[in-house]
Amino acid sequence: MGQRRPAVGTVTDGTAAMAATEPRVVLVTGGNRGIGLACAKAFATLGDRVAVTHRSDPAPEGVLAVRCDVGSAESVDAAFSEVEAELGPVQVLVSNAGATRDGLLLRMGEDAFADVLDTNLTGAYRVAKRAAQGMLRARAGRMVFLSSVVALTGSAGQANYAASKAGLVGLTRSIARELGSRGITANVVAPGPVATDMTAALGDERLAAITAGVPLGRIATPEEVAAAVVFLASPGAAFITGAVLPVDGGLGMGH
Ligand code: NDP
């Protein structure tokens, strides 16, 4: 207790694991609700200085809230500049903002495909690229990307979403290779169904069908996903990069 934790990127013996250390500057995109909000709260509880991006809902108290649409490089740049001015350079990026526009392939318009790719994949590229500037200067940093179990299993009615989430794996692993020598890690968390607005929109019947395939027989809480994100940003995860960490109750086993 009261021990200071090493700065981001410091090599540890592993025992420091999740222990509280120097507060980091953490930015969570889409941190006003759902999984992003749970991540923001988890980091704040650890004593980190947390900023969230939001568009619609008011952001939670106790964290710095900046408006940002990940669909715009200018908006992303402005949000990072605001966080840097208020808290300092971003040391931990949680690229969480995501959207769905479900539909069967033959009925899926090109706009629905392109929109989802732009938010989920190109949006992640935009925030990662902007975050990398400060992380490269610091020669340290953590990036965590929210993908999904459907990235590798596919999902009927979600060709756009699954493609965007699969793309995140390639994006993350390329970043891990490019920036690893500078002390920057990049990892993916791949949740199964989680109790948020996104799953509520699926309707009870579809959710029950999905849950039936989960070995643990239930959907996750946002806090259970946040715990994995916090771990990947912790000193104990210093030697983990390019990994895809499932938080899916076993739904994606073997994929
Ligand atoms: P929610 O729908 O509850 O929240 C999505 C968040 O993303 C909101 O904060 C939303 O902001 C933000 N967002 C959407 N589009 C944009 C944009 N263009 N620019 C900025 N922010 C945007 O989702 P979840 O919390 O359920 O999901 C979070 C992440 O986890 C997503 O990437 C999702 O794909 C992934 N995931 C979720 C699963 C689930 O079952 N819930 C399963 C697997 C992965 P706003 O409030 O302004 O709309």
Side-chain angles (χ1 to χ4, degrees), residues 169-186:
V169 176
L171 173 72
T172 303
R173 288 185 164 160
S174 301
I175 292 170
R177 288 186 188 278
E178 274 188 41
L179 305 184
S181 64
R182 313 295 181 87
I184 298 166
T185 69

Side-chain angles (χ1 to χ4, degrees), residues 65-150:
V66 295
R67 284 201 176 273
C68 175
D69 185 336
V70 298
S72 152
E74 291 73 32
S75 177
V76 167
D77 184 48
F80 270 82
S81 297
E82 207 178 322
V83 174
E84 286 162 355
E86 292 285 330
L87 304 179
V90 173
Q91 295 165 294
V92 177
L93 169 69
V94 182
S95 176
N96 164 80
T100 51
R101 275 183 74 178
D102 295 354
L104 295 172
L105 180 65
L106 291 184
R107 289 192 211 134
M108 185 179 286
E110 202 163 317
D111 57 334
F113 193 87
D115 271 9
V116 168
L117 264 289
D118 189 62
T119 299
N120 296 1
L121 181 55
T122 316
Y125 142 81
R126 291 185 187 105
V127 293
K129 187 175 173 181
R130 184 58 179 77
Q133 292 176 13
M135 291 180 183
L136 282 166
R137 243 175 262 126
R139 298 187 72 83
R142 298 292 173 88
M143 297 189 195
V144 182
F145 298 86
L146 268 297
S147 176
S148 165
V149 65
V150 305

Side-chain angles (χ1 to χ4, degrees), residues 30 32-33 35 55-56 69-70 96 147 161 165 192 194 196 199:
N32 53 319
R33 57 195 173 98
I35 294 169
R55 295 181 312 174
S56 51
D69 185 336
V70 298
N96 164 80
S147 176
Y161 182 77
K165 294 300 183 182
V194 187
T196 69
T199 39

Side-chain angles (χ1 to χ4, degrees), residues 34-62:
I35 294 169
L37 176 58
C39 291
K41 285 182 176 168
F43 281 110
T45 302
L46 282 178
D48 290 318
R49 291 184 294 161
V50 182
V52 299
T53 74
H54 70 118
R55 295 181 312 174
S56 51
D57 292 0
E61 278 181 27

